[in-house]
Amino acid sequence: MAAENGAHVEHESALHELEAINEDINVIVEQLVDEEAALHAKYELKKAPLYKKRQDVVANIPKFWLTCLEKHPIITSLIEMEDAEAIAYLESIEIERSVKNPINYKIIFVFGENPYFAQRRLVKEFDFSNKGDVKVTNHEIKWKADKDLTASAKKEKAGKEEANDDSDQFSENEEASFFCWFDDENGSELADLIANDLFPNAGMYYTGTINSDDEDELAGFELGDSEGEENDGSEDDAEDAPTPKRAKHD
């Protein structure tokens, strides 16, 4: 019996030591993720002139950006039929990165004259400077009369607020307009897909030559309930940070 108790104590001690080692490893892994994200953002900033050159070329391709969005394996599921009709007027997507800290950026959708928006530019800003506390700045969409594609979602959200239901409208309503994202209190997961995957690889998404291995990586990605909700765990905090993607050459 004494031998068994001794073996049990040794086993428990080994488990505690193993857990401590795993925690130390995770600290280094988190540092690696942060450094990879910063390096990725730095080189995205360097590629800005090439992205501008690419935009000059694709400006002559009808519905280029709509096609890219609809060919993206994740984003396509967020685009309703009415959204696609509005996005058909999308002339360019711009990722405006901070020179001082390139992991922070603005996502800008630039539209031509259309029956939906009073302004040409739809903007959403993300500041990842404080890890685990993403600062998001939304810019109101000025919809033209009777053209607000987010009206039903806003009405549903207002009803939830009256009922003190703080669940995330955009992530839970499968029929919510893609444009609800511009009003989302967070939305950093979709921002990451747009800024660090769709945008740098737009040419390959359009032509359908995206690497199948990269599509497999995206297959496990889902827009979770973390958008617009506060986190209290280290794993959740890590999800708020921008995840670096392997940018390919268009």
Side-chain angles (χ1 to χ4, degrees), residues 8-201:
H8 177 72
V9 170
E10 289 182 1
H11 181 257
E12 289 297 315
S13 176
L15 287 179
H16 286 304
E17 186 174 355
L18 179 61
E19 183 178 352
I21 293 172
N22 286 340
E23 289 178 356
D24 291 340
I25 291 173
N26 286 337
V27 169
I28 296 175
V29 170
E30 288 182 5
Q31 291 174 349
L32 173 62
V33 170
D34 290 343
E35 291 182 17
E36 285 182 337
L39 185 62
H40 172 83
K42 174 184 175 181
Y43 278 89
E44 282 299 294
L45 192 61
K46 284 188 173 184
K47 289 188 286 184
L50 292 175
Y51 291 143
K52 185 179 184 304
K53 184 177 180 180
R54 179 185 66 185
Q55 179 55 38
D56 291 340
V57 173
V58 303
N60 298 314
I61 302 177
K63 301 181 181 179
F64 174 85
W65 289 104
L66 171 61
T67 303
C68 293
L69 289 164
E70 291 187 324
K71 284 189 174 183
H72 191 281
I74 305 300
I75 299 175
T76 186
S77 64
L78 306 176
I79 299 175
E80 300 294 321
M81 185 178 299
E82 289 184 332
D83 294 331
E85 292 175 359
I87 296 172
Y89 294 93
L90 181 62
E91 293 184 341
S92 69
I93 294 177
E94 299 174 3
I95 308 299
E96 187 177 300
R97 293 183 180 271
S98 165
V99 175
K100 184 178 180 181
N101 190 356
I103 66 169
N104 303 326
Y105 52 76
K106 296 179 183 178
I107 295 179
I108 306 169
F109 280 37
V110 182
F111 289 83
E113 183 63 31
N114 66 84
Y116 295 92
F117 317 112
Q119 76 264 53
R120 287 195 62 201
R121 293 158 53 95
L122 305 187
V123 183
K124 193 174 178 79
E125 303 181 43
F126 294 86
D127 185 334
F128 297 96
S129 299
N130 295 322
K131 186 176 179 181
D133 184 18
V134 183
K135 181 180 179 181
V136 179
T137 303
N138 292 329
H139 296 256
E140 181 183 3
I141 298 177
K142 298 176 182 178
W143 296 93
K144 292 184 178 180
D146 301 322
K147 290 295 185 178
D148 187 350
L149 300 180
T150 67
S152 60
K154 290 175 181 175
K155 184 177 181 181
E156 183 176 342
K157 183 177 181 180
K160 286 185 176 183
E161 290 176 349
E162 290 181 2
N164 293 322
D165 182 352
D166 60 358
S167 59
D168 180 41
Q169 160 66 27
F170 180 68
S171 63
E172 290 191 354
N173 187 346
E174 295 182 356
E175 296 182 356
S177 168
F178 172 82
F179 293 98
C180 288
W181 174 71
F182 286 94
D183 296 323
D184 194 325
E185 293 179 0
N186 193 315
S188 59
E189 292 181 348
L190 179 54
D192 179 40
L193 281 181
I194 295 172
N196 296 318
D197 181 46
L198 174 82
F199 182 76
N201 303 315

